[in-house]
């Protein structure tokens, strides 16, 4: 028997095509999206505005299956981390960050990560596979169900495990889906994709999806960035900055957010701050300084509070809006770069890293 079609794998266009192919009207797509995402109905029999034969077809051939939450941990600051089961021994993590006026869900895009950023614990896990659309949108779906009506997900950041632009089609479909009026209706200003700088995909993104962009910069010169964020060897800063400028210039978007992890003695000097200013001179930028979050066997230390403030002041005085990211959920390892899930590594990264010893970093 053919395995059933998971309807969470479709965005509105995909669903409309699916219905058209079976001789149904495309508006069935919006009816179905409403049932699934707004009415929380998974039993096709209860979808009373669909014809009886259609309901019975869906029942025989389709499912609405979201991934399951295995573990829930709540930090002292209210941050919630969910470990989500993805089958065959793989688990990913999603994190909910409640604030006074908003609730942000940090969503994963891959099981593990194929990039090897030296300061990130997800990188140490190696890579298994891309998540499907259902597994990405499913993280919102199960999180919102779990939170109930009292806490609403108002923002999504694609800043969990994985490099979202290396899972382009599925991430785009899932982001378009979460902004759809018939699902979560998130505003495009409240959905952010974070990338380590996959330049060709950055250049293509605006054609298919209109969201905010954050770039994990972390260094202002190629030599250091090649080491910290090795994808820089393929797409160096000159190309990255050109892609950022282009993305910011399209539509009413005003800026790109640059993430910059503060690593003691590595990228946090006064000279580094000035180099950053020079690099961003012609790019509409906001900067988000991220205090480094340690993890077992990490070879870096976080810059001191004074060093981070000094760095911030230099940027701020030069007119760039600069914030220091508040570390959230670190007592449950839910902070940036601490998400590890459980990855059946297919890239054998952990073995390669062992062979390299710790000479790589620090
Ligand atoms: N791969 C994407 C999405 C991950 S976003 C990207 O690189 O943008 C997670 C953010 O946290 C990135 O900016 C990442 O560089 C940063 N990060 C990773 N490890 C970290 C750590 N140990 N401490 C603080 N920030 C970290």
């Amino acid at each position: 028997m053919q395995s059933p079609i998971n309807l969470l794998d479709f965005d509105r266009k995909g669903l409309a095509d699916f219905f058209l192919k079976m001789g149904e009207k495309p508006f069935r797509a919006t009816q179905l999206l409403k049932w699934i995402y707004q009415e929380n109905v998974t039993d096709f029999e209860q979808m009373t505005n669909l014809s009886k034969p259609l309901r019975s077809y869906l029942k025989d051939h389709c499912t609405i299956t979201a991934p399951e939450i295995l573990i829930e941990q709540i930090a002292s600051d209210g941050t919630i981390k969910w470990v989500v089961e993805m089958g065959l021994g793989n688990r990913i993590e999603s994190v909910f960050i409640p604030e006074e006026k908003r609730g942000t869900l940090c969503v994963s895009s891959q099981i593990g990560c194929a990039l090897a950023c030296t300061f990130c614990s997800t990188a140490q896990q190696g890579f298994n596979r891309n998540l499907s659309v259902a597994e990405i949108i499913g993280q919102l779906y199960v999180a919102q169900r779990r939170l109930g009506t009292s806490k609403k997900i108002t923002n999504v950041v694609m800043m969990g495990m994985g490099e979202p632009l290396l899972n382009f089609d599925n991430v785009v479909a899932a982001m378009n889906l979460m902004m759809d009026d018939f699902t979560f209706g998130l505003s495009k200003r409240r959905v952010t994709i974070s990338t380590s700088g996959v330049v060709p995909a950055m250049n293509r993104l605006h054609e298919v999806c209109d969201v905010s962009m954050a770039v994990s910069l972390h260094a202002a010169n190629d030599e250091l960035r090649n080491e910290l964020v090795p994808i820089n060897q393929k797409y160096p800063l000159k190309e990255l900055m050109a892609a950022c400028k282009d993305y910011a210039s399209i539509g009413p978007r005003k800026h790109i957010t640059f993430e910059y992890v503060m690593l003691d003695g590595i990228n946090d000097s006064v000279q580094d701050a000035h180099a950053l200013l020079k690099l961003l001179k012609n790019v509409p930028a906001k900067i988000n300084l991220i205090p480094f979050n340690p993890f077992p066997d990490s070879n870096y230390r976080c810059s001191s509070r004074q060093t981070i403030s000094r760095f911030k002041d230099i940027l701020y005085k030069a007119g760039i809006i600069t914030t220091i990211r508040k570390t959230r959920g670190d007592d449950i390892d839910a902070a940036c770069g601490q998400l590890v899930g459980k990855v059946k590594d297919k890239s054998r990264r952990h073995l390669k890293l062992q062979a390299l010893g710790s000479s790589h970093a620090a």
Side-chain angles (χ1 to χ4, degrees), residues 82-128:
W82 291 295
V83 177
V84 183
E85 173 67 48
M86 293 296 172
L88 302 176
N90 290 301
R91 294 167 184 183
I92 58 95
E93 298 181 348
S94 328
V95 178
F96 179 71
I97 305 147
E99 284 169 286
E100 211 178 301
K101 291 203 174 113
R102 58 182 182 186
T104 303
L105 190 71
C106 179
V107 170
S108 293
S109 57
Q110 299 182 310
I111 298 174
C113 189
L115 304 180
C117 302
T118 48
F119 53 87
C120 178
S121 67
T122 304
Q124 322 290 315
Q125 302 280 300
F127 175 71
N128 186 282

Side-chain angles (χ1 to χ4, degrees), residues 10 37 40 42 60 96 127 211 273 323 328 356:
F10 292 120
Y37 294 100
N40 270 318
T42 50
D60 292 344
F96 179 71
F127 175 71
V211 288
T323 46
R328 299 288 306 255
L356 276 174

Side-chain angles (χ1 to χ4, degrees), residues 31-259:
Q31 289 180 319
L32 199 89
L33 288 178
K34 268 178 100 165
W35 282 120
I36 298 176
Y37 294 100
Q38 296 184 348
E39 306 295 334
N40 270 318
V41 168
T42 50
D43 175 4
F44 296 113
E45 275 312 315
Q46 288 179 37
M47 301 184 178
T48 44
N49 56 0
L50 308 181
S51 70
K52 277 215 163 130
L54 178 56
R55 278 186 253 166
S56 123
Y57 178 89
L58 294 175
K59 202 169 134 196
D60 292 344
H61 297 91
C62 303
T63 62
I64 298 167
T65 307
E68 257 174 61
I69 293 175
L70 272 189
I71 303 168
E72 174 178 270
Q73 280 175 285
I74 305 180
S76 51
D77 65 5
T79 299
I80 307 175
K81 180 168 89 173
W82 291 295
V83 177
V84 183
E85 173 67 48
M86 293 296 172
L88 302 176
N90 290 301
R91 294 167 184 183
I92 58 95
E93 298 181 348
S94 328
V95 178
F96 179 71
I97 305 147
E99 284 169 286
E100 211 178 301
K101 291 203 174 113
R102 58 182 182 186
T104 303
L105 190 71
C106 179
V107 170
S108 293
S109 57
Q110 299 182 310
I111 298 174
C113 189
L115 304 180
C117 302
T118 48
F119 53 87
C120 178
S121 67
T122 304
Q124 322 290 315
Q125 302 280 300
F127 175 71
N128 186 282
R129 66 169 172 84
N130 283 334
L131 293 180
S132 66
V133 181
E135 289 166 334
I136 300 169
I137 198 71
Q139 292 171 60
L140 260 92
Y141 179 85
V142 293
Q144 190 61 74
R145 282 186 142 203
R146 181 87 193 130
L147 292 168
T149 47
S150 60
K151 292 193 199 106
K152 205 166 148 26
I153 297 168
T154 59
N155 293 55
V156 166
V157 289
M158 298 300 304
M159 295 186 185
M161 295 167 69
E163 167 49 52
L165 286 182
L166 289 180
N167 183 11
F168 192 86
D169 292 343
N170 293 349
V171 165
V172 164
M175 292 194 305
N176 282 334
L177 198 47
M178 60 186 85
M179 294 188 287
D180 196 304
D181 285 343
F182 294 94
T183 66
F184 298 95
L186 296 183
S187 113
K188 61 186 181 189
R189 272 168 289 110
R190 290 169 175 266
V191 177
T192 303
I193 189 164
S194 179
T195 181
S196 54
V198 187
V199 168
M202 289 169 75
N203 291 336
R204 271 198 297 145
L205 186 65
H206 72 91
E207 292 163 16
V208 284
C209 191
D210 187 12
V211 288
S212 303
M213 187 179 283
V215 171
S216 296
L217 192 58
H218 308 316
N221 66 71
D222 280 319
E223 197 190 346
L224 180 58
R225 196 163 192 271
N226 283 344
E227 188 190 319
L228 298 178
V229 187
I231 199 175
N232 193 70
Q233 294 162 19
K234 203 164 173 190
Y235 307 115
L237 283 170
K238 198 163 168 235
E239 290 176 34
L240 179 60
M241 287 304 126
C244 291
K245 235 167 113 176
D246 284 352
Y247 195 79
S249 70
I250 298 159
R253 211 169 283 110
K254 288 192 187 66
H255 66 270
I256 304 283
T257 300
F258 290 93
E259 295 157 283

Side-chain angles (χ1 to χ4, degrees), residues 290-311:
I290 317 178
F292 171 67
N293 293 306
F295 51 89
D297 298 328
S298 59
N299 290 306
Y300 298 103
R301 278 190 318 266
C302 183
S303 313
S304 69
R305 287 222 329 250
Q306 294 92 307
T307 306
I308 298 178
S309 327
R310 180 182 66 184
F311 202 89

Side-chain angles (χ1 to χ4, degrees), residues 324-356:
I324 299 173
R325 187 175 292 175
K326 234 166 110 189
T327 297
R328 299 288 306 255
D330 53 339
D331 53 339
I332 54 166
D333 289 342
C336 302
Q338 291 184 317
L339 303 185
V340 293
K342 189 171 166 208
V343 179
K344 294 270 178 207
D345 181 22
K346 284 188 172 166
S347 64
R348 305 177 78 72
R349 160 92 34 79
H350 60 289
L351 296 180
K352 285 180 215 156
L353 283 172
Q354 266 167 23
L356 276 174

